[in-house]
Amino acid sequence: MTWVVGRVQSPEPKHWESLVPETKKYTNESVKIISNVQVAADHYCMALEDASMAREARAGHFFQVRLKGAQAPYLPRPFSIYDWLEDDSGRRTGFKILYKVVGKGTEALSRLTRGDTVAVTGPLGKSTFTLPERGKK
């Protein structure tokens, strides 16, 4: 694995806090919404379908979600990964975000439905730790 320390690649890590595994960053202007369900008062869970982004993402990463069309003037909103979408073989096909309606941008997100699309950039951020595989402690 290649490690990136600042902008310098190093085969031998010196300080684990500043190390980030190299990750591809994607921007997709048309990520399809699979579902956008209200789960509590002012809280929604949105499932987004993009296998490339989902397979690159690790714990600690986040995505920037931006509205399209008439709502496009709003800035992208950062969201951490809530859960993964997987096919029958366990391969990631997308991801879920959990959000609270707190302003005009997230209120507009809450009105989107299955089949609508949003622009997404990511994964972003540092992923400096790993989670154990399912079923292993």
Side-chain angles (χ1 to χ4, degrees):
M1 176 179 284
T2 301
W3 293 90
V4 178
V5 183
R7 293 182 183 255
V8 179
Q9 292 184 358
S10 171
E12 295 184 37
K14 303 285 187 224
H15 305 286
W16 72 269
E17 303 95 338
S18 63
L19 300 178
V20 180
E22 195 169 355
T23 304
K24 291 182 183 176
K25 180 175 82 172
Y26 297 90
T27 297
N28 185 338
E29 292 292 326
S30 295
V31 175
K32 184 176 166 186
I33 297 172
I34 302 301
S35 65
N36 193 23
V37 179
Q38 186 172 5
V39 294
D42 296 328
H43 290 78
Y44 290 78
C45 182
M46 181 183 286
L48 298 163
E49 182 179 55
D50 190 302
S52 298
M53 288 183 180
R55 289 182 191 131
E56 274 301 311
R58 302 288 177 262
H61 282 145
F62 67 95
F63 292 97
Q64 291 273 14
V65 178
R66 183 174 49 82
L67 297 164
K68 296 171 48 175
Q71 300 92 358
Y74 294 120
L75 294 172
R77 301 299 194 263
F79 296 102
S80 59
I81 302 160
Y82 171 68
D83 199 4
W84 305 111
L85 300 176
E86 297 177 340
D87 63 16
D88 292 337
S89 66
R91 288 178 49 114
R92 292 182 190 169
T93 59
F95 55 94
K96 294 180 182 180
I97 59 173
L98 182 65
Y99 65 97
K100 180 179 179 178
V101 175
V102 293
K104 292 180 180 180
T106 50
E107 196 279 322
L109 278 178
S110 73
R111 291 192 309 263
L112 298 175
T113 60
R114 179 182 180 90
D116 289 339
T117 60
V118 291
V120 179
T121 300
L124 302 167
K126 289 187 176 183
S127 178
T128 57
F129 60 93
T130 58
L131 296 175
E133 293 182 29
R134 288 185 179 169
K136 294 184 180 180
K137 292 187 179 186

